[in-house]
Amino acid sequence: MADDGQIKALDTPDRLSRLEAEVHSRRILDTAFDGFWLVDMDGRILRANRAAADMLGYEESELSRLRVWEVDHTGDQKDFKHRMKAVKEGGGLCFETKHRRKDGRLIDVRVSAKWMDHGGGKAVCFFHDITEARRMAERMRLLAGMVDLAPCSI
């Protein structure tokens, strides 16, 4: 309270604009079909969107208590540090990996990570479930092999 008995405004116009921008950004990320993570240099998942939580079978709050290597099935802490170094030095990195869902099932994902040099540096990561696409590609490969081995044309 001010000395004259009036309650001072807690939010300035600049602060309200930042809060509105944050809410707007959150809404945009939550409409995405792809998973989103904001990851720090220590591998902490600082922020995740609804698609990431749904894809991996977690609540968003659960993801924020995990490290990347607890979800990335093909990597470990050393692999994570190597990838983060590549993201930081190159500005970004695209790669494919496997993520382990909360129920233990593995899914194939394509990750696009971009470096954000803010607050100690973070990686902005989007990932897309490519499990079904990989299954279809494998089926097509097997079918093509069967056709090639057929004694006469079909």
Side-chain angles (χ1 to χ4, degrees):
M1 248 211 255
D3 291 339
D4 62 1
Q6 298 293 318
I7 297 174
K8 286 188 175 180
L10 297 176
D11 292 316
T12 64
D14 284 345
R15 179 167 158 72
L16 287 175
S17 294
R18 285 193 307 273
L19 289 172
E20 288 170 355
E22 173 69 22
V23 168
H24 184 68
S25 295
R26 184 69 178 168
R27 284 184 182 151
I28 290 171
L29 290 173
D30 281 340
T31 64
F33 289 112
D34 288 341
F36 162 80
W37 286 346
L38 182 62
V39 179
D40 72 7
M41 289 297 290
D42 294 322
R44 286 187 294 265
I45 300 170
L46 302 174
R47 188 167 169 192
N49 70 349
R50 181 79 254 154
D54 290 345
M55 198 181 305
L56 297 169
Y58 288 93
E59 293 297 322
E60 290 173 65
S61 60
E62 291 177 298
L63 283 173
S64 68
R65 293 190 297 268
L66 297 176
R67 304 280 179 137
V68 170
W69 53 86
E70 294 175 286
V71 177
D72 189 343
H73 174 69
T74 58
D76 56 16
Q77 189 172 356
K78 183 178 176 184
D79 184 56
F80 167 79
K81 295 285 186 189
H82 176 74
R83 282 189 180 152
M84 280 296 274
K85 182 178 181 200
V87 169
K88 183 178 180 179
E89 291 175 359
L93 181 67
C94 292
F95 58 94
E96 292 181 2
T97 188
K98 290 184 182 293
H99 282 176
R100 183 177 303 281
R101 291 176 39 87
K102 185 177 181 180
D103 64 13
R105 286 188 299 139
L106 297 176
I107 61 170
D108 295 304
V109 293
R110 180 173 294 123
V111 179
S112 174
K114 197 79 169 148
W115 183 252
M116 184 173 75
D117 197 21
H118 175 74
K122 295 170 184 64
V124 176
C125 306
F126 287 90
F127 53 97
H128 184 77
D129 185 345
I130 59 170
T131 307
E132 191 57 34
R134 280 221 173 141
R135 283 187 192 134
M136 292 302 292
E138 180 61 18
R139 286 182 187 144
M140 293 298 289
R141 188 188 66 72
L142 291 172
L143 182 59
M146 291 169 55
V147 169
D148 288 345
L149 295 174
C152 59
S153 63
I154 296 176

